[in-house]
């Protein structure tokens, strides 16, 4: 029995496909060259769903995907219910969730205006700090909000820091580290235990030992190699 695997479009997908290929899971055609969003795998009877990041946890929670691969930011933002298992850190897509503000601009007294697309993460963070804030929801390009006077600071992902620097911002506090994670539907963890476990062991070997040859994982019965 194959797995349905939901993958995050974009950078995560590009980094994941080579890892999955080393686990012998490859889409029958390249997602780069096709407008299709569901692909059968060449072997193993798996199916790959190419989804928007915010939808990967939804697919996994609702069981239309057995497994999902997406960023920790997406998982945290999805909310507190988290009715799926987070089982593996793939060690790719490493970055940090940070607050940032304009260089040399002092934090104003009173309620802080914070622009972000990560409303849940920001709300939870400032609640933990006991800080009263007004959250402003944006969809992207958050860095321009302080420049335009819309916000005093932002909560955003920082990787190289180039985007902050280019827009006259500086990182302030780290909220958490982010990387790409593998999540598993609760029912699939039971009903497809051996397939899920085999995928986790294979990916774990690829990302942590960096050598599939050292992988001791035993394929479940009937899984073609
Ligand atoms: C992310 C993030 C920052 C940028 C950080 O944006 O929101 O803007 O990357 O990367 P850096 O520290 O290496 O400059 P993304 O490219 O995902 O687009 P977005 O603005 O639509 O979120």
């Amino acid at each position: 029995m194959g797995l349905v695997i939901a993958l995050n479009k974009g950078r995560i997908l590009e980094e994941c496909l080579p890892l999955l290929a080393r686990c012998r899971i490859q889409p029958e055609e390249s997602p780069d060259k096709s407008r299709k969003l569901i692909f059968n795998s060449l072997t193993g009877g798996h199916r790959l769903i190419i989804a928007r990041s915010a939808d990967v946890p939804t697919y996994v929670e609702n069981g239309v995907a057995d497994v999902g691969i997406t960023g920790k930011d997406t998982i945290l933002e999805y909310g507190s219910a988290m009715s799926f298992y987070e089982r593996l850190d793939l060690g790719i897509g490493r970055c940090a969730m940070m607050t940032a503000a304009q260089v040399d601009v002092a934090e104003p007294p009173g309620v802080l205006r914070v622009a972000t697309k990560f409303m849940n993460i920001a709300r939870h963070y400032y609640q933990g700090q006991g800080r009263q804030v007004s959250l402003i929801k944006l969809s992207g390009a958050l860095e321009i909000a302080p420049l335009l006077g819309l916000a005093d600071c932002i909560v955003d992902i920082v990787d190289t820091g180039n985007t902050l620097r280019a827009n006259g911002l500086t990182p302030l506090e780290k909220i958490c580290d982010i990387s790409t994670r593998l999540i598993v539907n609760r029912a699939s963890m039971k009903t497809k235990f051996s397939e899920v476990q085999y995928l986790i062991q294979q990916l774990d070997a690829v990302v942590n030992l960096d050598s599939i040859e050292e992988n001791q994982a035993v394929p479940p019965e009937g899984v073609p190699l």
Side-chain angles (χ1 to χ4, degrees):
M1 202 174 8
L3 296 171
V4 180
I5 304 170
L7 300 169
N8 207 139
K9 254 185 188 175
R11 231 180 299 182
I12 288 182
L13 178 66
E14 283 165 28
E15 289 183 309
C16 270
L17 286 177
L19 297 182
L20 287 169
R22 293 179 66 192
C23 301
R24 303 181 189 91
I25 298 175
Q26 281 175 284
E28 59 192 347
E29 55 189 301
S30 167
D32 283 348
K33 299 188 179 114
S34 170
R35 297 290 295 167
K36 274 169 68 171
L37 297 170
I38 301 179
F39 298 87
N40 291 321
S41 68
L42 285 172
T43 61
H46 304 298
R47 276 197 299 164
L48 304 176
I49 300 175
I50 314 296
R52 294 289 294 267
S53 61
D55 297 335
V56 170
T58 308
Y59 290 144
V60 174
E61 178 173 7
N62 288 287
V64 295
D66 301 303
V67 169
I69 297 180
T70 191
K72 182 69 177 175
D73 52 324
T74 301
I75 296 169
L76 290 173
E77 189 58 22
Y78 188 67
S80 54
M82 292 238 212
S83 41
F84 44 76
Y85 301 111
E86 185 185 315
R87 289 300 307 272
L88 186 65
D89 183 344
L90 279 82
I92 55 175
R94 286 193 189 281
C95 51
M97 185 67 67
M98 302 205 63
T99 67
Q102 276 181 284
V103 177
D104 296 334
V105 175
E107 198 175 280
V111 178
L112 196 66
R113 297 169 306 152
V114 182
T116 189
K117 64 177 177 181
F118 304 98
M119 296 291 276
N120 289 335
I121 293 174
R123 188 179 299 112
H124 186 258
Y125 174 70
Y126 286 108
Q127 271 171 1
Q129 302 261 308
R131 181 82 207 256
Q132 211 188 344
V133 297
S134 166
L135 296 180
I136 301 155
K137 168 90 172 141
L138 292 177
S139 309
L142 308 177
E143 292 83 358
I144 59 174
L147 308 181
L148 297 174
L150 179 67
D152 303 307
C153 68
I154 62 171
V155 166
D156 198 8
I157 284 169
V158 179
D159 179 11
T160 61
N162 288 342
T163 315
L164 291 183
R165 273 190 293 278
N167 290 286
L169 303 185
T170 187
L172 297 175
E173 295 143 25
K174 180 156 90 173
I175 297 176
C176 59
D177 289 310
I178 302 292
S179 57
T180 302
R181 310 293 167 96
L182 180 137
I183 58 176
V184 183
N185 172 264
R186 281 174 181 265
S188 303
M189 201 68 222
K190 295 191 181 78
T191 58
K192 297 186 178 179
F193 178 79
S194 51
E195 291 85 355
V196 170
Q197 205 56 23
Y198 181 54
L199 174 63
I200 291 170
Q201 286 174 357
Q202 282 189 303
L203 277 172
D204 189 27
V206 167
V207 299
N208 289 319
L209 300 176
D210 202 41
S211 165
I212 195 71
E213 280 70 41
E214 297 187 48
N215 179 10
Q216 300 300 309
V218 179
E221 228 167 279
V223 170
L225 291 176

